[in-house]
Amino acid sequence: MAASSSRQGPSGAHRPRGLAAARPLPRRQGLADDVHEAIKALLMDHEIEPGARISIDGLARQLQVSPTPVREALARLESAQLVTKEPLRGYRATALLTRDELTDLYQFRLLIEPWAARCAAERATARDRRQLRHEMSTTQLPRSRSYEAYKALAAHDTRLHVLIAELSGSERVRQAFERTHCHMHIFRLGYHRQIGAETLAEHERIVDAIVRGDPAGAERAMREHLETSCHQRLVPLYDAAGQGTG
């Protein structure tokens, strides 16, 4: 991962890639969080390529910070499964999900999330329904393909699915879902504006069914959302890239 590499931007000018895409951070309180977000963006945008080794000193120099907040950020990113730590070799960016891993993840989600949506529709209180409506009202479509633009949508995606898992009444289901960190892995595979519009429309149908107190409708809407996401939006990314199932 060369710090001096570049790619051509929309205007024809070359812009930096890799570590060189990282910009120095301002000196202020909350620096650890800033470093975490900066490195996370490099991973999500593939400026640090999936599977690439990560230089702590190189990141510290590029961000103009000491190595300490970089190490702290990488430890947090390891817990989110965006990086892995190898004994005596340091950190490496997590590889993208393979096609088999993606379908396995969605098989797991299809087992628990439609059930959770059904239970949420049966159990939701007036306060729960307001919370669901509020979540849908605060989300906007991203304006570009960068992580900076679509991270709000990724955060919404996580919040809504976790909230529905919570409303199911099963703490084990919520914990099992959260441990997959599936939304970060999925958004790393690829994003475009149409996906965002389709996702939000599907979320609206799920929330509408829960708010109506329609268990069968909520279960069906969640199942359709997950199946569409997997088979119509994500699996074709592998087919387009000519990737196998390894």
Side-chain angles (χ1 to χ4, degrees):
M1 182 177 56
S4 60
S5 60
S6 64
R7 82 173 95 180
Q8 199 168 42
S11 65
H14 287 275
R15 68 178 183 83
R17 292 198 63 186
L19 289 188
R23 298 179 179 178
L25 296 175
R27 298 292 190 267
R28 63 177 184 176
Q29 289 185 337
L31 180 62
D33 288 339
D34 291 342
V35 171
H36 173 264
E37 278 300 309
I39 299 174
K40 185 177 180 181
L42 293 172
L43 291 162
M44 296 296 290
D45 286 333
H46 297 193
E47 299 293 357
I48 299 176
E49 294 286 351
R53 293 195 183 283
I54 299 173
S55 167
I56 291 175
D57 290 339
L59 278 172
R61 284 194 299 272
Q62 196 68 32
L63 297 172
Q64 295 185 9
V65 298
S66 74
T68 298
V70 174
R71 290 192 186 95
E72 293 172 353
L74 290 172
R76 289 171 63 184
L77 292 164
E78 183 183 17
S79 70
Q81 301 175 16
L82 289 178
V83 302
T84 58
K85 188 176 184 180
E86 301 173 331
L88 305 178
R89 305 187 73 176
Y91 287 97
R92 184 186 291 274
T94 305
L96 297 180
L97 292 174
T98 65
R99 183 172 177 165
D100 283 347
E101 289 169 338
L102 176 75
T103 55
D104 184 59
L105 173 62
Y106 270 87
Q107 285 299 319
F108 164 75
R109 296 185 69 183
L110 282 162
L111 286 173
I112 67 169
E113 292 195 72
W115 174 87
R118 169 180 278 275
C119 291
E122 293 171 343
R123 297 168 52 91
T125 65
R127 180 179 181 276
D128 297 333
R129 293 191 287 271
R130 287 195 299 270
Q131 192 173 1
L132 286 164
R133 286 298 191 201
H134 176 73
E135 178 58 47
M136 292 306 305
S137 71
T138 57
T139 305
Q140 296 181 343
L141 281 176
R143 297 181 179 273
S144 77
R145 296 181 58 145
S146 71
Y147 171 64
E148 183 62 30
Y150 70 70
K151 68 180 179 181
L153 178 62
H156 155 74
D157 206 27
T158 302
R159 286 194 307 268
L160 181 66
H161 283 270
V162 169
L163 175 58
I164 292 171
E166 289 176 349
L167 296 183
S168 75
S170 172
E171 180 64 14
R172 288 185 182 275
V173 163
R174 184 192 65 79
Q175 290 178 356
F177 174 76
E178 285 193 304
R179 287 193 193 104
T180 67
H181 297 282
C182 63
H183 293 83
M184 288 295 97
H185 294 301
I186 289 166
F187 274 85
R188 284 178 80 208
L189 290 173
Y191 172 80
H192 57 74
R193 187 176 174 82
Q194 184 180 358
I195 286 178
E198 292 168 351
T199 296
L200 290 179
E202 290 160 16
H203 284 180
E204 285 282 5
R205 287 193 286 273
I206 296 166
V207 168
D208 284 346
I210 294 174
V211 169
R212 287 197 312 270
D214 179 2
E219 181 177 12
R220 181 172 58 253
M222 179 65 82
R223 184 173 300 279
E224 290 174 353
H225 168 53
L226 296 175
E227 289 176 342
T228 299
S229 178
C230 180
H231 299 296
Q232 296 184 28
R233 291 198 282 267
L234 296 173
V235 167
L237 295 175
Y238 295 91
D239 297 335
Q243 297 179 18
T245 59

